């Protein structure tokens, strides 16, 4: 099989989450070997995966879950490890060419750096590492001749639209958004939203945190930051467009005003697969588009007055420094409290805005500054939440 993944072997970090499970389906479809499976606690799921793919390594960051798994798969030749430190060591030892980084949250950063250090292709699904510390990750990627291919559907689309074209040909990036399940509602209507309403996302199948972020358009905001970093453009070169059908996954407008868009059925598996097989394309699970059946595609501006986390993300990337880190940390805490039904949906907007706008920036932060800002922003958000409850 002609693929860029030389030894046909992959690592899946976060294998029991939504993107992780879909990566397993790709491995099955493309007949890939899996060298490493990593998750936090899901013993039943990872046992199933290990029995099917017989990886060299399994890592469960939770110690108790790891010792449980060790006993369960004692009949396999799989080495089982626990803990974050071992995960990083195993990533560096793994001979997989490509690692799918589907670990969610801040925890995805250190594994991404380990992937870079061992010269792997990183099929990057984790947003936080890019939003927070892309500069450091990029340095390691360059130093060790690694590479990063975006998995996020919009960034995968932009990456595809940019193939074969020079960076200074880009005029704008058109970042599409489904608008989320609450498109058209005003702030008063959003106040009564419960966690279960926010979790009923219309188009993409995802985890709880990112589903809430999609509903609040915070996710789109993170994607703006991600696009600025990955494609090295200015924030004002990003135009967010609401496109409820999620058929056009994003586009690039060039200097001559020609727009190249990437389209397809909304199926994350296509994005994951492309990141593995790039620059080649293989048959996939995605349905072929039937344009006549689609009928029409619609586009509109996002409601920035209601969904204030989106303009806040533009503010954060314009300030840069530690502010994107603060935005990420504060949102993570606020969403956690919302999911526990301790604050209202709109409180997320107000609390995060308050924390971000009042945080003192550091212009060229070290990694330590970033880690400190992350901690500080989380603590500050918890404090503000106490005032709201
Ligand atoms: Mg996306």
């Amino acid at each position: 099989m002609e693929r860029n993944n030389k030894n046909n072997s992959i690592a899946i970090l976060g294998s029991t989450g939504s993107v992780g499970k879909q990566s397993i389906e790709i491995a099955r479809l493309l007949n890939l070997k899996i060298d490493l499976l990593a998750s936090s606690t899901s013993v039943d799921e990872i046992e199933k995966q290990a029995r099917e793919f017989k990886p060299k390594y399994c890592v469960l960051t939770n110690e108790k879950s790891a010792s449980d798994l060790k006993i369960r798969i004692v009949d396999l030749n799989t080495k089982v490890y626990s803990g974050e430190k071992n995960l990083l060591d195993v990533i560096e030892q793994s001979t997989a060419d490509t690692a799918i980084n589907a670990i969610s949250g801040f925890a995805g950063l250190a594994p991404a750096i380990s992937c870079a250090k061992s010269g792997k292709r990183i099929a990057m699904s984790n947003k936080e590492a890019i939003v927070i510390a892309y500069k450091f990750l990029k340095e390691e990627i360059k130093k060790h001749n690694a590479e990063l291919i975006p998995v996020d559907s919009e960034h995968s689309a932009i990456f595809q639209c940019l193939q074969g074209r020079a960076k200074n040909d880009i005029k704008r990036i058109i970042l599409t958004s489904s608008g989320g399940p609450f498109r058209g509602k005003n702030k008063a209507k959003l106040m009564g939203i419960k966690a279960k309403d926010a979790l009923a996302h219309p188009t993409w199948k995802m985890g709880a945190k990112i589903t809430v972020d999609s509903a609040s358009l915070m996710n789109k905001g993170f994607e703006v930051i991600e696009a600025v970093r990955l494609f090295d453009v200015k924030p004002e070169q990003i135009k967010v467009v609401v496109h409820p059908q999620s058929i056009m996954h994003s586009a690039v407008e060039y200097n001559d005003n020609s727009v190249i868009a990437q389209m397809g059925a909304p199926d994350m598996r296509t994005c994951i697969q492309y990141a593995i097989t790039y620059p080649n394309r293989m048959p996939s699970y995605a349905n072929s588009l039937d344009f006549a059946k689609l009928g029409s595609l619609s586009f509109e501006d996002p409601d920035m007055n209601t969904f204030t986390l989106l303009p806040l993300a533009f503010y954060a990337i314009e300030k840069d420094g530690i502010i994107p880190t603060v935005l990420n940390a504060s949102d993570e805490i606020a969403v956690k409290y919302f999911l526990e039904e301790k604050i209202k949906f709109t409180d997320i907007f107000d609390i995060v805005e308050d924390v971000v706008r009042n945080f003192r920036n550091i212009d060229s932060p070290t990694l330590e500054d970033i880690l400190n800002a992350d901690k500080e922003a989380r603590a500050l958000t918890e404090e503000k939440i106490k005032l709201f409850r």
Side-chain angles (χ1 to χ4, degrees):
M1 186 169 43
E2 197 205 334
R3 305 182 53 255
N4 217 42
N5 187 358
K6 294 182 285 299
N7 65 10
N8 232 20
S9 166
I10 60 169
I12 306 178
L13 314 176
S15 70
T16 58
S18 169
V19 169
K21 283 185 190 164
Q22 295 179 78
S23 304
I24 292 278
E25 293 181 58
I26 306 294
R28 208 174 278 143
L29 180 73
L30 299 183
N31 237 327
L32 303 175
K33 284 183 271 185
I34 297 180
D35 193 53
L36 158 65
L37 288 169
S39 174
S40 51
T41 56
S42 314
V43 184
D44 289 340
E45 187 64 33
I46 207 165
E47 181 188 355
K48 260 194 276 166
Q49 296 175 344
R51 293 209 171 276
E52 181 177 353
F53 289 94
K54 305 191 172 49
K56 194 161 167 197
Y57 310 101
C58 272
V59 183
L60 283 168
T61 44
N62 179 280
E63 211 161 299
K64 202 185 152 293
S65 308
S67 34
D68 188 5
L69 182 69
K70 211 173 211 169
I71 296 162
R72 291 201 199 185
I73 60 169
V74 73
D75 56 309
L76 302 181
N77 269 331
T78 300
K79 291 182 193 137
V80 180
Y81 295 97
S82 73
E84 162 104 357
K85 171 77 181 65
N86 282 328
L87 172 62
L88 303 183
D89 289 345
V90 170
I91 290 171
E92 294 197 35
Q93 276 165 37
S94 165
T95 54
D97 282 320
T98 300
I100 293 125
N101 186 342
I103 295 171
S104 63
F106 200 58
L109 174 61
I113 289 180
S114 295
C115 291
K117 280 186 174 158
S118 48
K120 291 181 175 54
R121 169 182 289 187
I122 312 167
M124 192 65 163
S125 172
N126 176 281
K127 281 194 166 76
E128 289 80 357
I130 296 173
V131 168
I132 294 163
Y134 186 58
K135 184 176 156 265
F136 303 96
L137 179 57
K138 200 167 104 182
E139 278 168 14
E140 295 297 336
I141 288 172
K142 217 174 152 193
K143 199 154 107 197
H144 301 280
N145 206 14
E147 86 189 302
L148 185 148
I149 313 287
V151 165
D152 202 350
S153 65
E154 295 79 1
H155 305 81
S156 171
I158 297 161
F159 180 75
Q160 293 178 53
C161 296
L162 286 170
Q163 291 309 305
R165 285 156 187 106
K167 197 204 138 236
N168 47 13
D169 288 341
I170 305 172
K171 184 176 167 192
R172 287 192 307 172
I173 285 175
I174 319 289
L175 188 70
T176 54
S177 159
S178 72
F182 310 130
R183 183 172 59 96
K185 290 199 193 311
N186 60 22
K187 192 159 180 183
K189 287 226 171 95
L190 291 183
M191 279 177 67
I193 300 285
K194 293 274 181 295
K196 65 171 179 352
D197 306 319
L199 293 177
H201 191 273
T203 315
W204 302 91
K205 201 175 74 191
M206 302 173 296
K209 198 268 177 180
I210 187 169
T211 303
V212 173
D213 282 344
S214 297
S216 68
L217 297 200
M218 183 70 268
N219 181 59
K220 204 49 57 184
F222 289 140
E223 291 182 353
V224 168
I225 299 175
E226 229 184 316
V228 168
R229 301 230 194 279
L230 287 175
F231 306 112
D232 196 18
V233 293
K234 296 191 178 72
E236 57 269 27
Q237 281 176 285
I238 311 271
K239 168 75 186 149
V240 177
V241 172
V242 172
H243 166 47
Q245 298 85 7
S246 298
I247 295 299
M248 180 179 123
H249 302 314
S250 279
V252 175
E253 183 180 31
Y254 286 95
N255 287 331
D256 60 358
N257 292 344
S258 285
V259 177
I260 309 238
Q262 190 263 341
M263 293 193 259
D267 189 328
M268 271 311 293
R269 294 175 299 184
T270 322
C271 314
I272 301 166
Q273 177 171 319
Y274 184 71
I276 298 170
T277 64
Y278 164 80
N280 302 317
R281 292 182 184 270
M282 313 282 291
S284 82
Y285 288 107
N287 292 324
S288 188
L289 280 184
D290 184 336
F291 283 92
K293 247 192 202 146
L294 287 172
S296 60
L297 301 179
S298 60
F299 300 91
E300 64 194 43
D301 280 328
D303 177 359
M304 298 259 209
N305 294 321
T306 303
F307 295 91
T308 48
L309 292 172
L310 182 55
L312 188 65
F314 275 97
Y315 166 85
I317 187 62
E318 272 152 24
K319 295 275 168 201
D320 209 356
I322 55 169
I323 303 301
T325 303
V326 172
L327 177 66
N328 174 71
S330 183
D331 175 67
E332 205 167 304
I333 296 297
V335 170
K336 179 177 150 256
Y337 278 86
F338 169 69
L339 286 170
E340 291 168 0
E341 297 189 351
K342 288 175 180 158
I343 58 170
K344 289 198 285 285
F345 187 60
T346 45
D347 292 343
I348 303 175
F349 296 63
D350 299 336
I351 292 165
V352 173
E353 176 119 32
D354 188 10
V355 171
V356 169
R357 298 245 184 217
N358 293 308
F359 213 93
R360 196 167 47 83
N361 197 11
I362 299 173
D363 279 334
S364 298
T366 61
L367 196 50
E368 205 191 340
D369 292 332
I370 286 175
L371 296 173
N372 287 337
D374 177 78
K375 275 199 210 105
E376 224 179 294
R378 282 167 201 269
L380 195 59
T381 308
E382 301 240 7
E383 256 172 58
K384 303 254 182 207
I385 286 172
K386 280 186 201 139
L387 300 176
F388 270 75
R389 288 169 63 190

